[in-house]
Amino acid sequence: MARASPRKRQPVNYNEDHKDDDLDRKPSKANGLAVKAETKPIIEKTTAVLKRKAEPETKPREAPAASKKRKTKTSADDSMPLAERTAVSALKKAMYIGAHVSAAGGVQNSVTNAVHIGANSFALFLKSQRKWDNPPIAPEARDLFISGCKDHDYSAAEHALPHGSYLVNLAQPDPTKAAQAYNAFVDDLNRCETLGIKLYNFHPGSAGSDTKAAAIGRIAAQLNKSHKATKTVITVLENMAGSGNVIGSTWEDLRDIIELVEDKERVGVCIDTCHAFAAGYDLRTPETFKATMDSFNEIVGANYLRAFHLNDSKAPFASNRDLHANIGTGFLGLRAFHSVMNEDAFRGMPMVLETPIDKKGADGKTVEDKQVWADEIKLLEGLIGMDPESEEFKKLEKELYARGADERAKIQAQVDKKNSKPAKKKK
Ligand SMILES: [Zn+2]
Ligand SMILES: [Zn+2]
């Protein structure tokens, strides 16, 4: 596998492109939505998504027909779903596609935010990921989360996938800092159990100046301790893009951690498609997708795979850079996601988008356009059962790939420049 030399990194944030989320922020207005099961044919919707996406991004979107009818309600457009949820039973394969939504204002808001974008699964932060000390989940927030999941037919156990705090490094060697990391970690696991959530996704950690083996040993020891302190939650290791001394960019790292975990029922893996690709695991063609999954199954084991983060990559293959792109616009391309969406073995798992949704508003300020996720969910659902040789697929693939051309060229140039440096320095 091609690997770039380790770069200097910030000690706590392993990500270049993950957006912050803060539970202290004001809640979104997307509350109290009524959601009907989607019955429209998927192909029709995919075409509609493509048409909508093809519009210039500066132009305000036309309100969809459904929301026009409900105009009487209020002026708060935020309270109307950006897309209706697809009934998973209407899909050719039971794929639960969603996004990492905001839980600002309380965990209960993640449910309404998921409904808002037509998501069938969702990720969230269980507390502010920028602070070590957080108040416990309020009983009211807990009850609203549980009743919200019930009302909107989400299985919190199966399809809510919280993301761990970026502050936590379970490989931390310093005893005081290790205790702090462990306490924050196990606090999250307890929050999961309070909310009826079964899967908890986190970044394995960073070795710092220590050896990988020692770091892996410490991660596993912390996991074992946390499993004994809790009852049911499954700790799900996320694969990483492979920068610096970060653990988890190879299947072997994940295997080695799992090997040291005593209760194998309590550990799993979440594959981030962007991270895998950046780490040197190709997914672009049906053949490379198969080879990558075969190697995962052989080295880690198919039974440990629990979830996906669905992200395209702004950075080229094996560049070790963690830069998420919108689906089909990055170096992975739409064919990779067609392979993922049509893999029987992935049915039932939460598949969460962490793609960029920041747009420049008319006033020059950055705003989040959640329509992007609503559209990407429909796009991915539309790939299930679609013939990749069809004109429809080719058109979609070409159109999306063209949209990412400038961004790909920009990052490619950065990577090329960096790669050419060591050669120039040689005497
Ligand atoms: Zn992550
Ligand atoms: Zn990432």
Side-chain angles (χ1 to χ4, degrees):
M1 223 188 326
R3 288 190 167 273
S5 59
R7 285 176 297 136
K8 279 215 167 154
R9 313 259 329 147
Q10 293 296 321
V12 289
N13 190 352
Y14 313 136
N15 295 277
E16 296 181 68
D17 199 33
H18 289 180
K19 57 188 204 64
D20 282 340
D21 191 13
D22 193 332
L23 269 76
D24 298 335
R25 252 167 37 196
K26 285 214 178 108
S28 91
K29 287 178 204 152
N31 292 324
L33 303 173
V35 175
K36 267 192 216 153
E38 180 61 59
T39 47
K40 244 192 256 172
I42 291 294
I43 301 297
E44 230 176 77
K45 280 184 298 180
T46 308
T47 315
V49 166
L50 179 57
K51 273 188 199 146
R52 192 149 27 137
K53 282 198 163 186
E55 284 170 19
E57 291 183 349
T58 45
K59 192 182 148 196
R61 293 182 195 287
E62 272 178 62
S67 50
K68 270 181 192 161
K69 270 184 231 160
R70 290 199 264 160
K71 221 169 192 173
T72 46
K73 223 178 164 187
T74 49
S75 60
D77 279 354
D78 269 7
S79 67
M80 287 176 232
L82 299 170
E84 293 204 347
R85 254 167 90 192
T86 304
V88 172
S89 58
L91 298 170
K92 289 201 179 92
K93 292 178 202 290
M95 298 300 191
Y96 290 79
I97 303 153
H100 185 136
V101 295
S102 171
V107 285
Q108 72 279 12
N109 291 327
S110 64
V111 180
T112 40
N113 288 333
V115 172
H116 193 54
I117 55 169
N120 280 314
S121 66
F122 58 97
L124 70 153
F125 291 117
L126 294 167
K127 58 192 177 199
S128 169
Q129 45 120 354
R130 278 179 264 156
K131 288 191 300 192
W132 285 105
D133 293 312
N134 291 278
I137 294 179
E140 192 201 12
R142 173 201 62 204
D143 293 348
L144 286 169
F145 179 89
I146 292 168
S147 62
C149 284
K150 197 165 170 266
D151 291 350
H152 294 293
D153 204 21
Y154 288 111
S155 164
E158 293 169 89
H159 301 126
L161 182 72
H163 195 294
S165 164
Y166 296 129
L167 297 173
V168 170
N169 176 13
L170 292 186
Q172 179 61 250
D174 176 83
T176 311
K177 288 177 184 164
Q180 186 182 41
Y182 174 80
N183 289 338
F185 185 79
V186 85
D187 172 67
D188 257 6
L189 300 190
N190 281 317
R191 285 168 197 253
C192 288
E193 296 194 341
T194 298
L195 299 170
I197 293 169
K198 195 91 189 274
L199 302 171
Y200 178 78
N201 167 245
F202 68 103
H203 296 182
S206 172
S209 54
D210 207 348
T211 64
K212 218 175 203 190
I216 285 172
R218 282 195 296 270
I219 294 166
Q222 296 277 51
L223 288 176
N224 287 332
K225 197 175 154 195
S226 76
H227 293 158
K228 285 171 192 134
T230 52
K231 290 188 190 76
T232 52
V233 63
I234 298 168
T235 46
V236 179
L237 301 154
E238 179 175 344
N239 70 307
M240 305 307 292
S243 56
N245 306 311
V246 168
I247 306 291
S249 61
T250 65
W251 301 153
E252 286 81 0
D253 282 0
L254 303 173
R255 173 200 63 195
D256 292 349
I257 297 168
I258 292 170
E259 200 152 87
L260 297 171
V261 169
E262 287 155 16
D263 188 350
K264 309 280 194 241
E265 303 286 309
R266 301 286 301 277
V267 67
V269 172
C270 169
I271 295 181
D272 183 310
T273 52
C274 167
H275 298 178
F277 181 70
Y281 294 107
D282 205 351
L283 300 158
R284 286 172 289 191
T285 66
E287 294 74 27
T288 57
F289 169 79
K290 189 182 179 299
T292 285
M293 288 318 301
D294 285 350
S295 76
F296 178 89
N297 294 342
E298 197 181 301
I299 295 165
V300 181
N303 52 320
Y304 289 109
L305 185 59
R306 292 288 188 163
F308 276 87
H309 285 172
L310 299 180
N311 301 306
D312 208 325
S313 174
K314 286 184 182 179
F317 180 61
S319 60
N320 296 127
R321 291 197 62 188
D322 181 7
L323 286 169
H324 300 184
N326 289 106
I327 303 299
T329 70
F331 281 94
L332 268 169
L334 197 64
R335 192 65 180 86
F337 294 95
H338 183 279
S339 295
V340 173
M341 296 318 302
N342 286 284
E343 179 58 56
D344 280 335
F346 304 161
R347 285 175 298 180
M349 294 178 188
M351 296 180 150
V352 174
L353 290 160
E354 298 174 324
T355 49
I357 59 166
D358 282 350
K359 293 262 166 75
K360 274 259 156 65
D363 55 358
K365 278 186 191 160
T366 303
V367 288
E368 287 187 343
D369 182 3
K370 297 192 179 71
Q371 187 70 51
V372 173
W373 284 336
D375 289 351
E376 285 185 327
I377 290 165
K378 291 292 177 277
L379 167 71
L380 289 163
E381 287 171 349
L383 295 179
I384 303 168
M386 189 188 278
D387 176 5
E389 299 306 318
S390 67
E391 278 310 306
E392 187 192 13
F393 180 84
K394 302 263 184 213
K395 197 179 155 217
L396 257 174
E397 183 183 40
K398 205 176 151 201
E399 149 78 27
L400 290 166
Y401 202 65
R403 206 174 292 168
D406 291 351
E407 200 63 27
R408 289 196 310 276
K410 190 180 114 190
I411 307 297
Q412 179 75 63
Q414 288 175 9
V415 170
D416 290 346
K417 198 178 164 195
K418 187 171 156 270
N419 289 344
S420 69
K421 268 182 190 164
K424 272 182 202 161
K425 273 184 195 163
K426 272 182 192 164
K427 28 183 171 149

